[in-house]
Amino acid sequence: MDSATIGRASKALVYAVGMFAIGAFVRFVYRGYKVRMRIQSLRAQGIPTLPHSLIFGHILILLKFHKEYPGDVHFGIILSWLVDNCKKWIPDLDDTPPVLYLDIWPIFPDIMMMVLDCNLSAQFTQIRSLPKHPITRTFLEPLTDNLDMTSADGAQSKVWRSRFNPSFSPRNITRVIPELIDEILVFKELLGELAGSEESWGEVFQMEELTTNLTFDVILRATLDERLHEQTNPGGSPLKRALIIQIQLMSKVIGINRILGIKRWPWEMWSRHRNNQALRYALLGRVEAVIKSGLVAEPITEKQNILNIALARTLKETGGRAPDQQSVDAILANLKLFLFAGHDTTSSTICWMLKLLQDNPDCLSQLRAEHDRILGADPKQAARLLRESPQLLNSLPYTNGVVKETLRFYPLASTVRQGERDFFLHAPGTGTRYPTEGMAIHDVPSVIQLDPRVWPRATEFLPERWLAGPGNPMHPNKDAWRPFSMGPRNCIGMELAMVEIKLVAALVCREFDVGEAWEEWDSKRSVKGQGNTVDGERLYGCGQTVQHPKDGMPVHVRRR
Ligand code: HEM
Ligand SMILES: *[C@@H]1O[C@H](CO)[C@@H](O)[C@H](O)[C@H]1NC(C)=O
Ligand SMILES: *[C@@H]1O[C@H](CO)[C@@H](O)[C@H](O)[C@H]1NC(C)=O
Ligand SMILES: *[C@@H]1O[C@H](CO)[C@@H](O)[C@H](O)[C@H]1NC(C)=O
């Protein structure tokens, strides 16, 4: 090649790159323009909207929020603040609107349609169940290649959801209670080691580390009847390590690369590959071999874990033929989904429950009294009793109320669905129609579950409201409690999570006091000055996806 050819080639290359960049930029600006104009058009239709800038959308409002609040607060807190303040920005409102549209493009690619009224939530999750928003697919892809039930296409998703549904039924979850108790007793033992001697407080530690290791052990035990020993293995298992790194990677769905139209950076692809290899090596390779060996029929009758029940169901549907590679891949993808969805949600909820019980000592006393009544006066006997009669867990209505109130105050996650052209949400009463086309429809339990129009004494932690029968003014509206979302695409693991958290309450709360320990925590890390607070609380919700307790909830513990 002579130098003239090289010169021409490099000119052509520069030209091509330049054209690509200009093309990307034009596409970017056009997309932004379209999103911004949608809000203007909503306003023209008389739908109340927050003050909107053609250049910044609603981003300026969020900046205002971040002036008043710490930078790491969870998105749910931002939404509550928006709702509390929206009359300031939309003066002609009589009341909280049932829907608020939020345009923070390009931070989020579509307009976010925030649904703040459970009547409207029911319209897109229960009366009709709209498909999950594409962001769910993007989010899960590194973990599962979108072969899992949440992000697979409609038909595949239905098949696998229905094959796994029976595994998670209340009756079948009750059968794994003895195994769950094994894992929770390890947790209790660790608390005992960290507790001070003779009723004095022990050293400060981060509760969430313990509960996360616990929920890892539980989810593996429940799905595969495998013991991971995460709670007692100081190095941590390769399985957990790989999954945690993968989740951190997945959380980066929103970033500069998305603006440029690049799904993931190349180094992220490499890391993703390595993590999936590690997951396969640590566990899934072995599971795959068992499924393929055709020996699955045997253990099914003995061990009623989540995988085996679903395998039995699959075999029945395929006339006993061993699953093909495609099915094996889908099963493994779903197991990864369960490990992902089942651990940090439940572990954070346990932390929030312990916090609320600390803050409401009367409720803690009532909880303990119920355990004394139903599980015997000697707390040491509770595990044996529950192992022998797992259905006793259904005779603890106050405990059930404590968990439900916890999830009312601290919903950890929520559903995001994709709007459609001819689909509108209707506000009962006013008759206003809210367009959904091109919108990411967010159910907002953090607002709905504290709505004073629906919940009497909404801001009080009152487990007894869950004991109030129909006709009683305290009787909860069932659609207004939606921490697991609702309808056919709600949380498949709801029963497992509820059982796990109730077991923790039943086995732990009578033997220990748990208290937040910020002073010790600050002095241990030699932090100077006042720590961040939200509404006066050091322990506030953080995180990009699931709402985690700040700093992993520093606590100390003492035996009672
Ligand atoms: C307190 C604990 C939990 C909370 C608050 C919670 C919450 C939720 C929510 C709000 C959804 C709907 C998400 C969406 O529509 O995009 C969901 C879905 C899901 N959850 Fe949970 N979850 C919890 C525990 C669990 C556990 C223990 C598992 C174990 C398997 C699990 C597995 C799943 C799965 C597989 C889905 C997707 C279902 C589908 O796409 O059809 N979750 N969860
Ligand atoms: C929503 O409101 C309408 C009209 O008031 C009512 O008929 C309907 O039962 C409500 N639906 C739910 C799920 O609350
Ligand atoms: C529980 O699991 C069995 C298989 O062991 C299954 O046949 C049954 O349908 C499941 N129960 C429910 C209520 O789904
Ligand atoms: C539990 O989890 C934390 C991090 O989440 C880890 O540092 C710790 O080593 C784990 N294992 C034990 C036995 O505490």
Side-chain angles (χ1 to χ4, degrees):
M1 236 190 298
D2 59 32
S3 61
T5 319
I6 293 174
R8 270 198 304 277
S10 54
K11 248 189 215 156
L13 185 67
V14 168
Y15 181 75
V17 169
M19 285 311 280
F20 176 79
I22 292 170
F25 182 73
V26 168
R27 212 171 59 120
F28 173 75
V29 171
Y30 178 67
R31 170 102 190 111
Y33 174 76
K34 267 187 27 188
V35 171
R36 296 281 190 269
M37 288 318 283
R38 281 300 299 282
I39 295 282
Q40 310 278 341
S41 126
L42 291 170
R43 178 170 294 180
Q45 291 168 51
I47 292 172
T49 52
L50 295 164
H52 185 252
S53 143
L54 205 51
I55 294 179
F56 297 107
H58 291 129
I59 293 172
L60 296 177
I61 294 185
L62 293 198
L63 290 181
K64 202 172 274 176
F65 172 85
H66 280 298
K67 254 193 219 148
E68 295 175 31
Y69 286 81
D72 58 355
V73 293
H74 189 257
F75 194 61
I77 298 173
I78 303 185
L79 294 177
S80 309
W81 173 85
L82 265 183
V83 169
D84 288 345
N85 289 286
C86 72
K87 269 189 229 163
K88 242 188 334 209
W89 294 307
I90 319 176
D92 42 340
L93 281 180
D94 307 325
D95 217 337
T96 306
V99 170
L100 270 183
Y101 293 95
L102 201 57
D103 161 19
I104 57 168
W105 182 90
I107 301 170
F108 191 86
D110 291 336
I111 292 174
M112 301 162 93
M113 178 175 184
M114 300 297 167
V115 177
L116 311 171
D117 178 326
C118 66
N119 192 299
L120 279 74
S121 300
Q123 293 168 33
F124 75 91
T125 57
Q126 292 145 263
I127 297 167
R128 194 143 158 234
S129 178
L130 287 182
K132 303 212 175 188
H133 188 267
I135 194 100
T136 315
R137 273 182 77 79
T138 311
F139 181 74
L140 286 170
E141 201 222 14
L143 185 66
T144 66
D145 291 319
N146 293 139
L147 298 173
D148 66 279
M149 67 174 72
T150 298
S151 64
D153 68 58
Q156 277 301 304
S157 162
K158 250 199 181 127
V159 165
W160 289 104
R161 170 89 200 208
S162 78
R163 284 180 181 166
F164 274 101
N165 267 338
S167 304
F168 289 95
S169 71
R171 218 185 49 180
N172 283 334
I173 291 298
T174 303
R175 293 196 198 168
V176 296
I177 284 180
E179 281 80 18
L180 303 196
I181 291 174
D182 291 344
E183 306 298 340
I184 294 168
L185 288 181
V186 177
F187 173 67
K188 196 177 86 168
E189 201 139 299
L190 292 174
L191 285 182
E193 286 168 18
L194 289 160
S197 53
E198 302 295 319
E199 297 178 16
S200 64
W201 292 113
E203 213 186 299
V204 62
F205 65 96
Q206 288 162 288
M207 180 58 90
E208 198 187 15
E209 290 202 348
L210 258 61
T211 56
T212 305
N213 292 346
L214 164 67
T215 51
F216 254 102
D217 280 347
V218 163
I219 191 73
L220 259 104
R221 200 72 197 271
T223 47
L224 300 167
D225 202 20
E226 289 264 347
R227 291 205 79 170
L228 191 63
H229 298 296
E230 196 66 56
Q231 298 184 86
T232 47
N233 173 0
S237 68
L239 181 89
K240 179 182 168 194
R241 231 175 359 233
L243 192 68
I244 298 278
I245 302 173
Q246 196 76 318
I247 292 169
Q248 283 163 358
L249 192 86
M250 287 155 66
S251 306
K252 296 188 190 144
V253 279
I254 293 160
I256 189 110
N257 52 320
R258 304 287 298 168
I259 297 173
L260 296 174
I262 301 165
K263 255 195 183 162
R264 307 264 173 190
W265 300 114
W267 54 89
E268 293 180 345
M269 297 300 284
W270 166 238
S271 170
R272 152 193 175 159
H273 175 73
R274 232 184 14 214
N275 295 331
N276 276 325
Q277 287 294 94
L279 287 171
R280 172 166 288 267
Y281 187 74
L283 175 76
L284 298 172
R286 206 148 27 93
V287 175
E288 176 167 5
V290 171
I291 299 172
K292 279 187 175 165
S293 69
L295 292 173
V296 286
E298 279 310 311
I300 282 168
T301 43
E302 295 163 25
K303 289 189 196 158
Q304 299 287 346
N305 60 45
I306 285 168
L307 175 64
N308 282 347
I309 293 173
L311 277 176
R313 177 88 178 211
T314 307
L315 286 177
K316 208 163 128 197
E317 285 178 22
T318 56
R321 256 180 308 112
D324 55 14
Q325 187 61 41
Q326 208 184 352
S327 302
V328 173
D329 290 342
I331 291 169
L332 297 181
N334 281 307
L335 292 180
K336 287 199 249 182
L337 175 69
F338 301 154
L339 294 182
F340 159 68
H343 81 280
D344 63 343
T345 44
T346 317
S347 70
S348 294
T349 307
I350 295 169
C351 291
W352 295 120
M353 173 177 76
L354 295 172
K355 185 223 179 349
L356 286 164
L357 288 170
Q358 164 212 262
D359 291 348
N360 295 276
D362 290 348
C363 299
L364 180 55
S365 304
Q366 289 200 53
L367 180 83
R368 287 169 172 163
E370 181 174 82
H371 298 164
D372 283 343
R373 249 188 349 267
I374 310 294
L375 303 174
D378 178 5
K380 304 244 167 348
Q381 297 301 318
R384 186 184 54 78
L385 260 168
L386 281 164
R387 234 193 267 273
E388 283 165 11
S389 321
Q391 70 282 2
L392 269 182
L393 204 61
N394 299 326
S395 316
L396 301 172
Y398 194 84
T399 310
N400 189 51
V402 165
V403 181
K404 288 194 140 187
E405 277 297 84
T406 300
L407 284 160
R408 185 170 75 83
F409 278 91
Y410 294 101
L412 304 163
S414 62
T415 196
V416 187
R417 304 293 175 94
Q418 186 173 24
E420 285 178 6
R421 186 181 179 82
D422 297 315
F423 187 76
F424 296 82
L425 298 183
H426 297 265
T430 65
T432 308
R433 283 173 7 133
Y434 294 90
T436 69
E437 186 190 0
M439 316 268 181
I441 315 178
H442 286 63
D443 198 5
V444 187
S446 57
V447 171
I448 291 170
Q449 297 184 157
L450 290 170
D451 186 344
R453 293 167 301 182
V454 179
W455 299 93
R457 300 165 69 189
T459 56
E460 291 173 60
F461 183 77
L462 293 173
E464 53 270 38
R465 74 170 82 241
W466 296 97
L467 281 69
N472 186 323
M474 290 302 281
H475 182 65
N477 172 340
K478 81 168 177 47
D479 285 323
W481 187 78
R482 30 198 325 118
F484 296 100
S485 187
M486 295 192 83
R489 297 304 302 280
N490 72 342
C491 176
I492 200 172
M494 172 164 97
E495 184 65 22
L496 174 61
M498 290 296 292
V499 162
E500 181 177 353
I501 302 164
K502 282 191 271 186
L503 280 173
V504 168
L507 295 174
V508 166
C509 289
R510 276 191 295 173
E511 294 191 45
F512 302 100
D513 285 322
V514 177
E516 287 170 61
W518 291 100
E519 265 177 39
E520 290 95 315
W521 179 244
D522 288 346
S523 70
K524 191 172 161 181
R525 295 181 314 153
S526 11
V527 171
K528 302 236 161 33
Q530 218 66 44
N532 284 332
T533 56
V534 170
D535 302 329
E537 286 282 355
R538 284 294 300 272
L539 191 64
Y540 59 82
C542 302
Q544 301 245 310
T545 45
V546 165
Q547 178 167 202
H548 291 277
K550 172 73 178 170
D551 286 354
M553 189 173 177
V555 295
H556 49 200
V557 171
R558 69 179 170 217
R559 281 188 188 282
R560 297 180 64 231

PDB file of all heavy atoms in Angstrom, residues 59-82:
ATOM      1  N   ILE A  59     -35.263  17.633  35.671  1.00  0.00           N
ATOM      2  CA  ILE A  59     -34.010  17.361  36.382  1.00  0.00           C
ATOM      3  C   ILE A  59     -33.736  18.423  37.447  1.00  0.00           C
ATOM      4  O   ILE A  59     -33.220  18.121  38.527  1.00  0.00           O
ATOM      5  CB  ILE A  59     -32.841  17.249  35.375  1.00  0.00           C
ATOM      6  CG1 ILE A  59     -33.041  15.991  34.520  1.00  0.00           C
ATOM      7  CG2 ILE A  59     -31.493  17.190  36.091  1.00  0.00           C
ATOM      8  CD1 ILE A  59     -32.091  15.849  33.369  1.00  0.00           C
ATOM      9  N   LEU A  60     -34.155  19.668  37.166  1.00  0.00           N
ATOM     10  CA  LEU A  60     -33.893  20.740  38.144  1.00  0.00           C
ATOM     11  C   LEU A  60     -34.609  20.470  39.469  1.00  0.00           C
ATOM     12  O   LEU A  60     -34.091  20.783  40.544  1.00  0.00           O
ATOM     13  CB  LEU A  60     -34.333  22.088  37.573  1.00  0.00           C
ATOM     14  CG  LEU A  60     -33.532  22.533  36.333  1.00  0.00           C
ATOM     15  CD1 LEU A  60     -34.085  23.843  35.789  1.00  0.00           C
ATOM     16  CD2 LEU A  60     -32.050  22.658  36.657  1.00  0.00           C
ATOM     17  N   ILE A  61     -35.802  19.882  39.369  1.00  0.00           N
ATOM     18  CA  ILE A  61     -36.537  19.568  40.600  1.00  0.00           C
ATOM     19  C   ILE A  61     -35.762  18.539  41.423  1.00  0.00           C
ATOM     20  O   ILE A  61     -35.656  18.648  42.645  1.00  0.00           O
ATOM     21  CB  ILE A  61     -37.957  19.050  40.258  1.00  0.00           C
ATOM     22  CG1 ILE A  61     -38.761  20.175  39.630  1.00  0.00           C
ATOM     23  CG2 ILE A  61     -38.649  18.488  41.482  1.00  0.00           C
ATOM     24  CD1 ILE A  61     -40.201  19.838  39.345  1.00  0.00           C
ATOM     25  N   LEU A  62     -35.194  17.556  40.719  1.00  0.00           N
ATOM     26  CA  LEU A  62     -34.416  16.547  41.449  1.00  0.00           C
ATOM     27  C   LEU A  62     -33.170  17.162  42.077  1.00  0.00           C
ATOM     28  O   LEU A  62     -32.760  16.775  43.172  1.00  0.00           O
ATOM     29  CB  LEU A  62     -34.019  15.397  40.525  1.00  0.00           C
ATOM     30  CG  LEU A  62     -35.159  14.528  40.003  1.00  0.00           C
ATOM     31  CD1 LEU A  62     -34.619  13.211  39.494  1.00  0.00           C
ATOM     32  CD2 LEU A  62     -36.209  14.266  41.074  1.00  0.00           C
ATOM     33  N   LEU A  63     -32.588  18.140  41.393  1.00  0.00           N
ATOM     34  CA  LEU A  63     -31.413  18.806  41.976  1.00  0.00           C
ATOM     35  C   LEU A  63     -31.808  19.524  43.262  1.00  0.00           C
ATOM     36  O   LEU A  63     -31.064  19.540  44.244  1.00  0.00           O
ATOM     37  CB  LEU A  63     -30.803  19.798  40.979  1.00  0.00           C
ATOM     38  CG  LEU A  63     -30.122  19.156  39.767  1.00  0.00           C
ATOM     39  CD1 LEU A  63     -29.538  20.218  38.848  1.00  0.00           C
ATOM     40  CD2 LEU A  63     -29.033  18.182  40.214  1.00  0.00           C
ATOM     41  N   LYS A  64     -33.008  20.088  43.247  1.00  0.00           N
ATOM     42  CA  LYS A  64     -33.513  20.757  44.448  1.00  0.00           C
ATOM     43  C   LYS A  64     -33.602  19.750  45.599  1.00  0.00           C
ATOM     44  O   LYS A  64     -33.214  20.030  46.730  1.00  0.00           O
ATOM     45  CB  LYS A  64     -34.897  21.350  44.140  1.00  0.00           C
ATOM     46  CG  LYS A  64     -35.279  22.457  45.073  1.00  0.00           C
ATOM     47  CD  LYS A  64     -36.558  23.143  44.615  1.00  0.00           C
ATOM     48  CE  LYS A  64     -36.277  24.246  43.599  1.00  0.00           C
ATOM     49  NZ  LYS A  64     -37.427  24.886  43.047  1.00  0.00           N
ATOM     50  N   PHE A  65     -34.110  18.553  45.269  1.00  0.00           N
ATOM     51  CA  PHE A  65     -34.194  17.500  46.277  1.00  0.00           C
ATOM     52  C   PHE A  65     -32.810  17.208  46.859  1.00  0.00           C
ATOM     53  O   PHE A  65     -32.625  17.112  48.069  1.00  0.00           O
ATOM     54  CB  PHE A  65     -34.785  16.223  45.660  1.00  0.00           C
ATOM     55  CG  PHE A  65     -34.726  15.028  46.569  1.00  0.00           C
ATOM     56  CD1 PHE A  65     -35.715  14.817  47.511  1.00  0.00           C
ATOM     57  CD2 PHE A  65     -33.666  14.128  46.500  1.00  0.00           C
ATOM     58  CE1 PHE A  65     -35.655  13.721  48.362  1.00  0.00           C
ATOM     59  CE2 PHE A  65     -33.602  13.042  47.348  1.00  0.00           C
ATOM     60  CZ  PHE A  65     -34.599  12.843  48.287  1.00  0.00           C
ATOM     61  N   HIS A  66     -31.838  17.083  45.980  1.00  0.00           N
ATOM     62  CA  HIS A  66     -30.511  16.685  46.450  1.00  0.00           C
ATOM     63  C   HIS A  66     -29.804  17.786  47.240  1.00  0.00           C
ATOM     64  O   HIS A  66     -28.811  17.528  47.901  1.00  0.00           O
ATOM     65  CB  HIS A  66     -29.669  16.173  45.279  1.00  0.00           C
ATOM     66  CG  HIS A  66     -30.018  14.750  44.947  1.00  0.00           C
ATOM     67  ND1 HIS A  66     -29.845  13.721  45.847  1.00  0.00           N
ATOM     68  CD2 HIS A  66     -30.575  14.201  43.851  1.00  0.00           C
ATOM     69  CE1 HIS A  66     -30.262  12.597  45.298  1.00  0.00           C
ATOM     70  NE2 HIS A  66     -30.710  12.851  44.098  1.00  0.00           N
ATOM     71  N   LYS A  67     -30.328  19.009  47.155  1.00  0.00           N
ATOM     72  CA  LYS A  67     -29.784  20.052  48.017  1.00  0.00           C
ATOM     73  C   LYS A  67     -30.186  19.806  49.462  1.00  0.00           C
ATOM     74  O   LYS A  67     -29.465  20.128  50.396  1.00  0.00           O
ATOM     75  CB  LYS A  67     -30.323  21.417  47.563  1.00  0.00           C
ATOM     76  CG  LYS A  67     -29.259  22.231  46.854  1.00  0.00           C
ATOM     77  CD  LYS A  67     -29.717  23.675  46.717  1.00  0.00           C
ATOM     78  CE  LYS A  67     -29.301  24.207  45.362  1.00  0.00           C
ATOM     79  NZ  LYS A  67     -30.223  25.191  44.822  1.00  0.00           N
ATOM     80  N   GLU A  68     -31.409  19.262  49.641  1.00  0.00           N
ATOM     81  CA  GLU A  68     -31.927  19.072  50.991  1.00  0.00           C
ATOM     82  C   GLU A  68     -31.594  17.706  51.578  1.00  0.00           C
ATOM     83  O   GLU A  68     -31.665  17.513  52.786  1.00  0.00           O
ATOM     84  CB  GLU A  68     -33.462  19.228  50.991  1.00  0.00           C
ATOM     85  CG  GLU A  68     -33.933  20.623  50.644  1.00  0.00           C
ATOM     86  CD  GLU A  68     -35.455  20.693  50.536  1.00  0.00           C
ATOM     87  OE1 GLU A  68     -36.145  19.933  51.241  1.00  0.00           O
ATOM     88  OE2 GLU A  68     -35.945  21.496  49.728  1.00  0.00           O
ATOM     89  N   TYR A  69     -31.303  16.735  50.703  1.00  0.00           N
ATOM     90  CA  TYR A  69     -31.145  15.357  51.169  1.00  0.00           C
ATOM     91  C   TYR A  69     -29.778  14.800  50.790  1.00  0.00           C
ATOM     92  O   TYR A  69     -29.176  15.255  49.824  1.00  0.00           O
ATOM     93  CB  TYR A  69     -32.239  14.471  50.558  1.00  0.00           C
ATOM     94  CG  TYR A  69     -33.600  14.682  51.175  1.00  0.00           C
ATOM     95  CD1 TYR A  69     -34.402  15.751  50.788  1.00  0.00           C
ATOM     96  CD2 TYR A  69     -34.076  13.820  52.150  1.00  0.00           C
ATOM     97  CE1 TYR A  69     -35.652  15.949  51.352  1.00  0.00           C
ATOM     98  CE2 TYR A  69     -35.320  14.005  52.722  1.00  0.00           C
ATOM     99  CZ  TYR A  69     -36.104  15.068  52.326  1.00  0.00           C
ATOM    100  OH  TYR A  69     -37.323  15.258  52.893  1.00  0.00           O
ATOM    101  N   PRO A  70     -29.298  13.779  51.535  1.00  0.00           N
ATOM    102  CA  PRO A  70     -28.031  13.156  51.182  1.00  0.00           C
ATOM    103  C   PRO A  70     -28.085  12.541  49.778  1.00  0.00           C
ATOM    104  O   PRO A  70     -29.160  12.170  49.303  1.00  0.00           O
ATOM    105  CB  PRO A  70     -27.853  12.054  52.238  1.00  0.00           C
ATOM    106  CG  PRO A  70     -28.956  12.182  53.217  1.00  0.00           C
ATOM    107  CD  PRO A  70     -29.906  13.214  52.753  1.00  0.00           C
ATOM    108  N   GLY A  71     -26.918  12.439  49.146  1.00  0.00           N
ATOM    109  CA  GLY A  71     -26.861  11.996  47.756  1.00  0.00           C
ATOM    110  C   GLY A  71     -27.209  10.533  47.547  1.00  0.00           C
ATOM    111  O   GLY A  71     -27.551  10.139  46.435  1.00  0.00           O
ATOM    112  N   ASP A  72     -27.138   9.721  48.611  1.00  0.00           N
ATOM    113  CA  ASP A  72     -27.307   8.282  48.385  1.00  0.00           C
ATOM    114  C   ASP A  72     -28.704   7.762  48.721  1.00  0.00           C
ATOM    115  O   ASP A  72     -28.922   6.561  48.761  1.00  0.00           O
ATOM    116  CB  ASP A  72     -26.258   7.500  49.188  1.00  0.00           C
ATOM    117  CG  ASP A  72     -26.337   7.795  50.688  1.00  0.00           C
ATOM    118  OD1 ASP A  72     -27.136   8.667  51.082  1.00  0.00           O
ATOM    119  OD2 ASP A  72     -25.595   7.148  51.464  1.00  0.00           O
ATOM    120  N   VAL A  73     -29.671   8.662  48.968  1.00  0.00           N
ATOM    121  CA  VAL A  73     -31.000   8.171  49.365  1.00  0.00           C
ATOM    122  C   VAL A  73     -31.656   7.385  48.233  1.00  0.00           C
ATOM    123  O   VAL A  73     -31.389   7.609  47.055  1.00  0.00           O
ATOM    124  CB  VAL A  73     -31.984   9.288  49.792  1.00  0.00           C
ATOM    125  CG1 VAL A  73     -31.554   9.949  51.047  1.00  0.00           C
ATOM    126  CG2 VAL A  73     -32.215  10.266  48.674  1.00  0.00           C
ATOM    127  N   HIS A  74     -32.544   6.513  48.634  1.00  0.00           N
ATOM    128  CA  HIS A  74     -33.249   5.665  47.677  1.00  0.00           C
ATOM    129  C   HIS A  74     -34.302   6.479  46.911  1.00  0.00           C
ATOM    130  O   HIS A  74     -34.867   7.432  47.445  1.00  0.00           O
ATOM    131  CB  HIS A  74     -33.919   4.506  48.420  1.00  0.00           C
ATOM    132  CG  HIS A  74     -34.477   3.470  47.503  1.00  0.00           C
ATOM    133  ND1 HIS A  74     -35.820   3.371  47.237  1.00  0.00           N
ATOM    134  CD2 HIS A  74     -33.868   2.512  46.773  1.00  0.00           C
ATOM    135  CE1 HIS A  74     -36.012   2.373  46.386  1.00  0.00           C
ATOM    136  NE2 HIS A  74     -34.852   1.842  46.092  1.00  0.00           N
ATOM    137  N   PHE A  75     -34.559   6.062  45.676  1.00  0.00           N
ATOM    138  CA  PHE A  75     -35.490   6.782  44.811  1.00  0.00           C
ATOM    139  C   PHE A  75     -36.890   6.910  45.422  1.00  0.00           C
ATOM    140  O   PHE A  75     -37.572   7.920  45.220  1.00  0.00           O
ATOM    141  CB  PHE A  75     -35.562   6.075  43.452  1.00  0.00           C
ATOM    142  CG  PHE A  75     -36.206   6.893  42.384  1.00  0.00           C
ATOM    143  CD1 PHE A  75     -35.661   8.098  42.003  1.00  0.00           C
ATOM    144  CD2 PHE A  75     -37.369   6.462  41.774  1.00  0.00           C
ATOM    145  CE1 PHE A  75     -36.249   8.866  41.023  1.00  0.00           C
ATOM    146  CE2 PHE A  75     -37.971   7.218  40.787  1.00  0.00           C
ATOM    147  CZ  PHE A  75     -37.413   8.421  40.406  1.00  0.00           C
ATOM    148  N   GLY A  76     -37.300   5.890  46.176  1.00  0.00           N
ATOM    149  CA  GLY A  76     -38.625   5.935  46.820  1.00  0.00           C
ATOM    150  C   GLY A  76     -38.782   7.164  47.715  1.00  0.00           C
ATOM    151  O   GLY A  76     -39.867   7.744  47.818  1.00  0.00           O
ATOM    152  N   ILE A  77     -37.697   7.580  48.349  1.00  0.00           N
ATOM    153  CA  ILE A  77     -37.741   8.753  49.237  1.00  0.00           C
ATOM    154  C   ILE A  77     -37.916  10.025  48.410  1.00  0.00           C
ATOM    155  O   ILE A  77     -38.646  10.939  48.791  1.00  0.00           O
ATOM    156  CB  ILE A  77     -36.468   8.802  50.115  1.00  0.00           C
ATOM    157  CG1 ILE A  77     -36.413   7.548  50.995  1.00  0.00           C
ATOM    158  CG2 ILE A  77     -36.429  10.067  50.971  1.00  0.00           C
ATOM    159  CD1 ILE A  77     -35.141   7.382  51.791  1.00  0.00           C
ATOM    160  N   ILE A  78     -37.279  10.056  47.251  1.00  0.00           N
ATOM    161  CA  ILE A  78     -37.443  11.207  46.355  1.00  0.00           C
ATOM    162  C   ILE A  78     -38.916  11.344  45.964  1.00  0.00           C
ATOM    163  O   ILE A  78     -39.478  12.439  45.957  1.00  0.00           O
ATOM    164  CB  ILE A  78     -36.598  11.053  45.072  1.00  0.00           C
ATOM    165  CG1 ILE A  78     -35.127  10.860  45.432  1.00  0.00           C
ATOM    166  CG2 ILE A  78     -36.811  12.230  44.131  1.00  0.00           C
ATOM    167  CD1 ILE A  78     -34.189  10.819  44.248  1.00  0.00           C
ATOM    168  N   LEU A  79     -39.541  10.212  45.664  1.00  0.00           N
ATOM    169  CA  LEU A  79     -40.934  10.268  45.217  1.00  0.00           C
ATOM    170  C   LEU A  79     -41.851  10.756  46.332  1.00  0.00           C
ATOM    171  O   LEU A  79     -42.760  11.552  46.092  1.00  0.00           O
ATOM    172  CB  LEU A  79     -41.377   8.900  44.705  1.00  0.00           C
ATOM    173  CG  LEU A  79     -40.632   8.465  43.439  1.00  0.00           C
ATOM    174  CD1 LEU A  79     -41.056   7.074  43.024  1.00  0.00           C
ATOM    175  CD2 LEU A  79     -40.860   9.445  42.305  1.00  0.00           C
ATOM    176  N   SER A  80     -41.613  10.298  47.564  1.00  0.00           N
ATOM    177  CA  SER A  80     -42.442  10.764  48.684  1.00  0.00           C
ATOM    178  C   SER A  80     -42.287  12.276  48.841  1.00  0.00           C
ATOM    179  O   SER A  80     -43.261  12.991  49.077  1.00  0.00           O
ATOM    180  CB  SER A  80     -42.022  10.100  49.994  1.00  0.00           C
ATOM    181  OG  SER A  80     -41.973   8.719  49.832  1.00  0.00           O
ATOM    182  N   TRP A  81     -41.068  12.753  48.695  1.00  0.00           N
ATOM    183  CA  TRP A  81     -40.801  14.190  48.813  1.00  0.00           C
ATOM    184  C   TRP A  81     -41.518  14.962  47.706  1.00  0.00           C
ATOM    185  O   TRP A  81     -42.132  16.004  47.951  1.00  0.00           O
ATOM    186  CB  TRP A  81     -39.287  14.397  48.755  1.00  0.00           C
ATOM    187  CG  TRP A  81     -38.833  15.820  48.688  1.00  0.00           C
ATOM    188  CD1 TRP A  81     -38.628  16.672  49.729  1.00  0.00           C
ATOM    189  CD2 TRP A  81     -38.497  16.558  47.501  1.00  0.00           C
ATOM    190  NE1 TRP A  81     -38.187  17.882  49.279  1.00  0.00           N
ATOM    191  CE2 TRP A  81     -38.097  17.839  47.912  1.00  0.00           C
ATOM    192  CE3 TRP A  81     -38.495  16.246  46.143  1.00  0.00           C
ATOM    193  CZ2 TRP A  81     -37.701  18.821  47.003  1.00  0.00           C
ATOM    194  CZ3 TRP A  81     -38.101  17.217  45.230  1.00  0.00           C
ATOM    195  CH2 TRP A  81     -37.709  18.495  45.672  1.00  0.00           C
ATOM    196  N   LEU A  82     -41.457  14.423  46.476  1.00  0.00           N
ATOM    197  CA  LEU A  82     -42.148  15.074  45.354  1.00  0.00           C
ATOM    198  C   LEU A  82     -43.630  15.219  45.650  1.00  0.00           C
ATOM    199  O   LEU A  82     -44.225  16.274  45.430  1.00  0.00           O
ATOM    200  CB  LEU A  82     -42.024  14.202  44.095  1.00  0.00           C
ATOM    201  CG  LEU A  82     -40.923  14.479  43.104  1.00  0.00           C
ATOM    202  CD1 LEU A  82     -41.064  13.535  41.921  1.00  0.00           C
ATOM    203  CD2 LEU A  82     -40.983  15.922  42.628  1.00  0.00           C
TER     204      LEU A  82
END
